[in-house]
Each structure stands twice: as structure tokens, then as C-alpha cells.
């Protein structure tokens, strides 16, 4: 009798698991593909990152980080929030014709923005060479990443939920970049090679991805008229303002630190923050894969989407909490292992930043995975703008009194404000109370 009931239970469990695998087969496939990318990036970063910080030293490593912080503004401008609106709009359409139209509108909008950004960048470089001591060539090398991010349509493959293509092209590009770093960056005199090779992966991946588009998605090979480009830019305005706000309390922090201190302090902070970013990348595969899935699920069944979001929140936040605790406890050992004894100043910075991955995992679920698919773009934007204002108010006194540690405290306070505000908005909108 016991065996009979055990067999029945096993059969029921097997059937339920089979149905779940069928239902979420594409989602799981995309998560696995993105995990492969992030896993590869994780391994390659932990190979190249310790090598670069030791060869270049804190000052030169900080100079590249400062240039990357400046160039991030151009990445932000050319992206224009399409990394969020692009996948969502692509996921809504099953017909090749409509997908092709959306692709053309987004891509040519980004190309238009790239033309404007490049003109302004050239003017800035000319002025910088006259009135600044920073090496303009480093900025030019890093700017390749802006071109790469424009021509690499990650948002399209994310929207059609074909992440295996991204896995393929990113694997090739990252491997070329890291191998080249070991061959070409031998001393501090090779700082330009170090800057250029860190900027190449997206550019290489972009070139390869267009071969895939021409072969498998010929509907994307079309032009877009100015009126469609204009409408696309207007529709993405709220998301763009949100990403601007995000950048104010992320990339801008390193720029402000560079102006208020010196390249060595920037190098200490950049090293600690790079470790935090590597940990956050572990969350990206799940986040990137489920975003178009949730956007499509909400169109069909909002209640099921809410239940799915709750499960994802528990999984993401739980995993990130464990990793954050490990970063806090083993900060000294991690810095010494990855960066060497010259970066002792980075230990306290890493401890202060250690719980940011956990906090961001919650804000990712509340904001990107919930507020945007549910049409709360304006509330999302206002939250991040308010956070940017808060960060701008507190970062200067924090850096003045605490130096490099001050920018870490500023980031921690701001991220807590973002997450708590988003939760309050969702609670007032009764999003998680849907039956």
C-alpha cells in the first residue's frame, strides 16, 4: 500500500515537473544561455582584472576608470533606455514584419544619437587636450565601447528570447579581448592597449551579431524614416530620464571622486567597485531573461505574472544576500587575492559596498521586473530622479569628510532609498495584492 501511494506521488510530481519544464522551457533555455555568458565573463574578469591592476598600478588603473566614467555618459545617451524599452516592444510582437519595424526604429534612433554623441565627444577631446592633464588618447580608446554598444543589438535577441546568439558572440568577443590583454599589456607603458582592449568586446560582438541578423532575421535589414525615429525617441523619454538618474548615482560618482581626489583614490575605489559589479553580474542572466517573459505574461495573465515575480524576488534576493555577507566577511582576503597588497585601502570600501548587490536585487525586482511591465514608467522615473538628487546632495560632503569611503557610503544610502521608495509605490498601487 505504501509503495502504491509512493508511486502515485512520484507520478504526480513527475507530471507537474514536466508541465513546468514545457511551460518555462524557453525561459530556462535563455537563463542557462545568459548564465553561460556571465559565467564566462566572471572567469575572464577574474583572470584579467588582477593582472591589470597589478601591471598598471592604482594611478593608471584609476585613469582608465575615470575615462570609462566620462565615456559612460555617452553610452547612456546613445542607449536612451532602449535596453529596457527595446526588449519589451520586441516581445509584444510575434510577426516578423512588426519585429523588423521595431528593430529599425530602435537601431536607427541609436545611430542618430551616436552621430550627435561623436561630434560632441570630438569637441570635448579637443578642449581636453588644451586645458587638461589627462591623456585624451585613453578617452578615445575607451570611446570604442560606445560604438560597440550601439551596433550590438542585445535588446533584440533578448526580446525574441534567443539568448544563445548572445552567448555565442559574447564568448568569442570576450576571449579575444582577454587573450589580447595578456599578449599586449606587459608594462605601464601599455596603458592605451589596456584601455582599448577592455572596450573591444561589444564592438566585436556587434559585428558578429549582424552576420546572424542578415542570415536569420532579414526583416531587420531596413531603414526607418525620421518621423518614426522621432516617435521612438519620444516614447522612450521617461525611461531615458530614469537611466540618466541611475547614472548620476553610479557612473557619476567615480567622475566626482576623480575631480575631488586623485587617480590613486579612484583606483582604490574602482577596484572595490569592480568586485561588486562582478557579483551583480551573477544576477543579470536571470534578470535579463525574465524581463521579456514577464512583459509578455502580463499581457495574458496579470495574476500569474505577480506570482512569478514573487518567486523570482525570493530567489534573487536570497542568493544575493548570501553573496553580500560573504563579501563583507572576507573583504580583506578577496582584495589581497585579486588586487594585491598595494590596494589595502580598498578593503574598507569593499565592506561598505558589500550589501549593495542584495539591495539592488530587490530594486531590480520592484523596478525593472514589476513597475515597468505594469506601465509605471513615470513612477519609476520619478523614483530614480529623486534618488539622483539625494545622491548629488550627499556625495560632496561624504567625499570631503571621508574620501574614497565617502562615495561608498553615498552609494549605499542612495540604493537603500531607491529600493524602499519603489516598495512604497508598489504597495500604494496594490500590485502584489492582485489575486
Amino acid at each position: 500500500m505504501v509503495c502504491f501511494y509512493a508511486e502515485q506521488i512520484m507520478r504526480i510530481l513527475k507530471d507537474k515537473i514536466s508541465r513546468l519544464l514545457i511551460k518555462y522551457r524557453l525561459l530556462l533555455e535563455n537563463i542557462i544561455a545568459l548564465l553561460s555568458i556571465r559565467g564566462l565573463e566572471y572567469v575572464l574578469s577574474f583572470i584579467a582584472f588582477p593582472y591589470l591592476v597589478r601591471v598598471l598600478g592604482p594611478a593608471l588603473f584609476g585613469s582608465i576608470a575615470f575615462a570609462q566614467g566620462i565615456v559612460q555618459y555617452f553610452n547612456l545617451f546613445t542607449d536612451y533606455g532602449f535596453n529596457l524599452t527595446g526588449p519589451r516592444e520586441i516581445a509584444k510582437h510575434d510577426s516578423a514584419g512588426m519585429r523588423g519595424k521595431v528593430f529599425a526604429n530602435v537601431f536607427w534612433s541609436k545611430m542618430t544619437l551616436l552621430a550627435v554623441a561623436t561630434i560632441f565627444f570630438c569637441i570635448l577631446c579637443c578642449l581636453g587636450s588644451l586645458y587638461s592633464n589627462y591623456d585624451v588618447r585613453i578617452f578615445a580608446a575607451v570611446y570604442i565601447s560606445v560604438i560597440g554598444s550601439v551596433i550590438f543589438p542585445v535588446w533584440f535577441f533578448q526580446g525574441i528570447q534567443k539568448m544563445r546568439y548572445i552567448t555565442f558572440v559574447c564568448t568569442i568577443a570576450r576571449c579575444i579581448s582577454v587573450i589580447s590583454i595578456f599578449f599586449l599589456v606587459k608594462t605601464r607603458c601599455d596603458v592605451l592597449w589596456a584601455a582599448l582592449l577592455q572596450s573591444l568586446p561589444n564592438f566585436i560582438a556587434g559585428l558578429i551579431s549582424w552576420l546572424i541578423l542578415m542570415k536569420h532575421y532579414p526583416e531587420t535589414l531596413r531603414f526607418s524614416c525620421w518621423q518614426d525615429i522621432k516617435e521612438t525617441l519620444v516614447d522612450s523619454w521617461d525611461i531615458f530620464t530614469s537611466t540618466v538618474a541611475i547614472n548620476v548615482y553610479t557612473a557619476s560618482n567615480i567622475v566626482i571622486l576623480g575631480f575631488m581626489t586623485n587617480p590613486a583614490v579612484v583606483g582604490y575605489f574602482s577596484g572595490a567597485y569592480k568586485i561588486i559589479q562582478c557579483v551583480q553580474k551573477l544576477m543579470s542572466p536571470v534578470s535579463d531573461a525574465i524581463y521579456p517573459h514577464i512583459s509578455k505574461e502580463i499581457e495574458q495573465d496579470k495574476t500569474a505574472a505577480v506570482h512569478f515575480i514573487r518567486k523570482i524576488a525570493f530567489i534573487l534576493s536570497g542568493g544575493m544576500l548570501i553573496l553580500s555577507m560573504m563579501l563583507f566577511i572576507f573583504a580583506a582576503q578577496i582584495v589581497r587575492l585579486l588586487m594585491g597588497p598595494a590596494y589595502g585601502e580598498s578593503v574598507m570600501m569593499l565592506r561598505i559596498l558589500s550589501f549593495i548587490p542584495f539591495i539592488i536585487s530587490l530594486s531590480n525586482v520592484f523596478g525593472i521586473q514589476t513597475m515597468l511591465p505594469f506601465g509605471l514608467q513615470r513612477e519609476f522615473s520619478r523614483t530614480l530622479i529623486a534618488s539622483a538628487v539625494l545622491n548629488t546632495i550627499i556625495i560632496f560632503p561624504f567625499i570631503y569628510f571621508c574620501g574614497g569611503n565617502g562615495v561608498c557610503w553615498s552609494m549605499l544610502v542612495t540604493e537603500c532609498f531607491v529600493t524602499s521608495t519603489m516598495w512604497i509605490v508598489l504597495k500604494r498601487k496594490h500590485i502584489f495584492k492582485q489575486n
Side-chain angles (χ1 to χ4, degrees), residues 28-38 163-164 167 285:
L28 290 172
E29 178 184 320
N30 292 327
I31 290 175
I32 291 171
L34 287 173
L35 277 172
S36 301
I37 299 174
R38 297 297 183 257
M163 306 304 184
R164 62 178 180 272
T167 305

Side-chain angles (χ1 to χ4, degrees), residues 257 261 265-266 268-269 349 352 398-399 402-409:
L257 184 65
T261 58
V265 175
V266 174
Y268 297 137
F269 169 74
M349 296 180 184
I352 299 170
F398 273 37
I399 293 178
C402 304
N405 291 340
V407 72
C408 300
W409 284 114

Side-chain angles (χ1 to χ4, degrees), residues 123-193:
I123 295 172
L124 189 65
C125 283
C126 291
L127 294 175
S129 62
L130 295 175
Y131 302 106
S132 173
N133 294 326
Y134 282 98
D135 192 341
V136 175
R137 296 175 300 170
I138 294 178
F139 288 84
V142 174
Y143 190 75
I144 297 296
S145 65
V146 180
I147 302 173
S149 67
V150 170
I151 67 173
F152 185 22
V154 176
W155 47 271
F156 175 74
F157 295 115
Q158 186 181 350
I160 61 174
Q161 301 187 60
K162 297 291 184 182
M163 306 304 184
R164 62 178 180 272
Y165 291 125
I166 301 178
T167 305
F168 171 71
V169 297
C170 285
T171 299
I172 295 176
R174 295 287 177 186
C175 287
I176 292 174
S177 173
V178 171
I179 292 172
S180 299
I181 284 173
F182 284 104
F183 275 101
L184 299 175
V185 182
K186 299 293 186 181
T187 67
R188 296 186 179 186
C189 297
D190 300 321
V191 62
L192 288 178
W193 277 116

Side-chain angles (χ1 to χ4, degrees), residues 283-325:
M283 176 178 64
S284 298
V286 179
S287 175
D288 293 346
I290 65 176
Y291 175 62
H293 174 83
I294 292 173
S295 298
K296 200 164 189 175
E297 185 83 4
I298 286 174
E299 296 288 325
Q300 301 169 352
D301 188 344
K302 290 185 178 181
T303 301
V306 169
H307 289 313
F308 181 76
I309 291 170
R310 285 172 176 165
K311 294 176 182 177
I312 291 299
F314 178 77
I315 295 171
L316 278 181
S317 62
M320 287 296 109
L321 178 59
I322 293 172
L323 292 175
S324 291
M325 292 174 65

Side-chain angles (χ1 to χ4, degrees), residues 209-226:
S209 67
W210 275 91
L211 298 177
I212 297 173
L213 290 176
M214 287 187 288
K215 182 177 181 180
H216 297 287
Y217 303 97
E219 69 272 10
T220 61
L221 306 178
R222 56 191 291 182
F223 290 98
S224 187
C225 66
W226 169 244

